[in-house]
Amino acid sequence: MTITDQSLDEAQAKKHALNCHRMKPALFSVLCEIKEKTGLSIRSSQEEEPVDPQLMRLDNMLLAEGVAGPEKGGGSAAAAAAAAASGGGVSPDNSIEHSDYRSKLAQIRHIYHSELEKYEQACNEFTTHVMNLLREQSRTRPVAPKEMERMVSIIHRKFSAIQMQLKQSTCEAVMILRSRFLDARRKRRNFSKQATEVLNEYFYSHLSNPYPSEEAKEELAKKCGITVSQVSNWFGNKRIRYKKNIGKFQEEANIYAVKTAVSVTQGGHSRTSSPTPPSSAGSGGSFNLSGSGDMFLGMPGLNGDSYPASQVESLRHAMGPGGYGDSLGGGPMYSPREMRANGGWQEAVTPSSVTSPTEGPGSVHSDTSN
DNA sequence: GCCCATGATTGTCA
DNA sequence: TGACAATCATGGGC
């Protein structure tokens, strides 16, 4: 059904005719009487609406999640909770995820507030409209102020129902965002092939002392597109797994040793296949492992098809163009006695007292030292 | 679905 | 605090 200008005019004309009718006062008084009688029933139906517990829950949740209430940098409460859930020490590494989470939460917050504003505006407009209508009608029929209040409260109730739906969907959106965020942290993704290659190259070229310094870790992290913590994890896992199963890793070691050798003979220091610093190589720094000692130390020279990376290093040190032979203490070959005396990875060099491999000439982060 | 590889976590130690 | 060792949990190949 459409309302045309013509029909509106007709209605206005009828209303005017009614208002001017001689029977109008009599009709009005009758209506007042009826109204008086039905007044009780209206009052009885006008019950006090108790606060909806579900609405309260939604409000509390939105407040806790930082969607409702005062803004503190885009959902601070939830971000803090997420930070706490991330396990404390790793929070700096999750800054990317956190900022992502925060920005998404801010988006939800923005949408929620703009929708809320729209609803409130619409509610006010509609209330004003209805009030105007009732005032208009009060000229032709008795409209008590109570009735107007009742109408207003009905409208508000309707709109708060809509608002509750909005709050509900907002809560759902926040929950989904949160679960996704937590899942993302929980999930493990393999590093890229290139990243693993970089890490392996570093590991095998520093086999004698595979303990990258903080700077080296940062550099590796940057190169691999991972965090420093992940680099630390990787080296921790690698050292342990290498130690546990040297045989299995020998082939891998050979591959990287060859790579390193090739990169050296092709002219120079590849940044990742950097030589071991004098301290670790010169002191026979290859870590002493049960079994690994034989593997590396027992080999008299590079006469095999495959050779361990540590020996490639020593060879490089001895005959490389820049040469680290001087710092090797007289000979390119490892001294088994020295090796044993130096013990394992840990004992061979202590990170604080010995120049870290990464601080060596071909270090990942520095080419200038020594 | 199983199995292995691997990144992450946790507890312990120096 | 960093390293190690054990373990968990997930990805990916088969």
Side-chain angles (χ1 to χ4, degrees):
Chain A
M1 189 175 106
T2 55
I3 299 168
T4 61
D5 287 344
Q6 194 187 349
S7 63
L8 274 174
D9 288 343
E10 279 173 17
Q12 284 291 338
K14 277 181 187 168
K15 212 161 73 178
H16 183 71
L18 188 66
N19 279 335
C20 300
H21 201 276
R22 62 190 171 85
M23 292 295 284
K24 195 244 176 179
L27 179 67
F28 198 83
S29 65
V30 170
L31 284 171
C32 279
E33 258 179 58
I34 295 167
K35 195 94 185 174
E36 197 75 7
K37 281 176 190 168
T38 56
L40 268 175
S41 63
I42 289 170
R43 267 193 294 279
S44 65
S45 69
Q46 198 176 356
E47 287 167 2
E48 283 286 312
E49 188 84 359
V51 181
D52 189 345
Q54 198 190 347
L55 187 64
M56 267 181 71
R57 271 201 301 274
L58 288 172
D59 280 337
N60 286 339
M61 189 190 157
L62 290 173
L63 213 61
E65 292 293 339
V67 175
E71 187 166 13
K72 290 182 223 160
S76 57
S86 72
V90 295
S91 53
D93 298 332
N94 287 326
S95 55
I96 295 165
E97 287 95 331
H98 280 180
S99 62
D100 196 33
Y101 178 82
R102 281 180 186 229
S103 71
K104 293 246 160 56
L105 197 70
Q107 268 180 29
I108 292 174
R109 188 189 160 91
H110 177 74
I111 292 166
Y112 170 76
H113 282 288
S114 71
E115 288 298 309
L116 206 64
E117 210 172 305
K118 268 188 220 165
Y119 285 151
E120 274 166 8
Q121 202 182 336
C123 179
N124 287 338
E125 276 174 16
F126 190 68
T127 306
T128 313
H129 180 69
V130 169
M131 290 291 278
N132 286 340
L133 271 179
L134 285 173
R135 277 195 207 102
E136 184 71 24
Q137 285 187 6
S138 69
R139 291 171 61 189
T140 53
R141 67 182 183 93
V143 180
K146 285 247 173 190
E147 199 180 348
M148 284 188 170
E149 278 174 33
R150 197 173 133 262
M151 282 305 294
V152 170
S153 80
I154 286 169
I155 293 165
H156 282 189
R157 244 179 290 161
K158 291 282 176 203
F159 272 91
S160 64
I162 296 168
Q163 271 188 16
M164 191 148 95
Q165 278 181 7
L166 171 70
K167 283 175 184 176
Q168 230 161 4
S169 349
T170 308
C171 278
E172 275 169 25
V174 172
M175 296 310 284
I176 289 165
L177 175 69
R178 252 189 129 162
S179 68
R180 270 189 200 161
F181 175 72
L182 292 171
D183 282 349
R185 272 193 286 105
R186 212 171 32 238
K187 271 185 184 165
R188 181 181 69 78
R189 290 251 171 262
N190 285 353
F191 298 157
S192 67
K193 214 175 170 187
Q194 185 249 338
T196 312
E197 202 146 304
V198 169
L199 292 167
N200 271 319
E201 267 187 48
Y202 187 93
F203 181 82
Y204 287 112
S205 67
H206 294 76
L207 203 54
S208 55
N209 189 33
Y211 297 89
S213 66
E214 278 307 306
E215 290 85 359
K217 281 180 192 172
E218 280 171 26
E219 191 71 27
L220 285 167
K222 217 183 282 176
K223 272 190 164 183
C224 300
I226 57 177
T227 67
V228 174
S229 289
Q230 285 176 307
V231 172
S232 298
N233 284 340
W234 189 91
F235 273 89
N237 285 325
K238 190 73 181 179
R239 282 191 297 264
I240 289 165
R241 284 161 188 165
Y242 184 86
K243 249 201 255 188
K244 274 185 178 173
N245 199 347
I246 291 160
K248 196 184 85 182
F249 286 100
Q250 191 172 4
E251 199 184 338
E252 193 179 61
N254 293 338
I255 291 164
Y256 284 99
V258 170
K259 268 192 187 179
T260 306
V262 166
S263 71
V264 167
T265 53
Q266 279 179 349
H269 302 284
S270 136
R271 281 179 68 80
T272 49
S273 56
S274 55
T276 306
S279 55
S280 54
S283 59
S286 182
F287 51 94
N288 185 16
L289 310 163
S290 53
S292 75
D294 291 336
M295 182 177 128
F296 292 112
L297 310 180
M299 292 175 83
L302 300 174
N303 50 356
D305 284 343
S306 62
Y307 40 87
S310 55
Q311 293 197 345
V312 172
E313 283 173 10
S314 67
L315 180 69
R316 238 167 52 213
H317 296 158
M319 52 190 260
Y324 302 106
D326 289 347
S327 55
L328 286 172
M333 290 298 135
Y334 291 122
S335 151
R337 192 183 54 77
E338 281 179 340
M339 300 281 283
R340 281 193 207 96
N342 277 312
W345 267 330
Q346 287 278 35
E347 290 156 349
V349 279
T350 53
S352 57
S353 63
V354 172
T355 312
S356 153
T358 58
E359 290 163 358
S363 157
V364 165
H365 72 282
S366 166
D367 291 329
T368 54
S369 60
N370 281 354

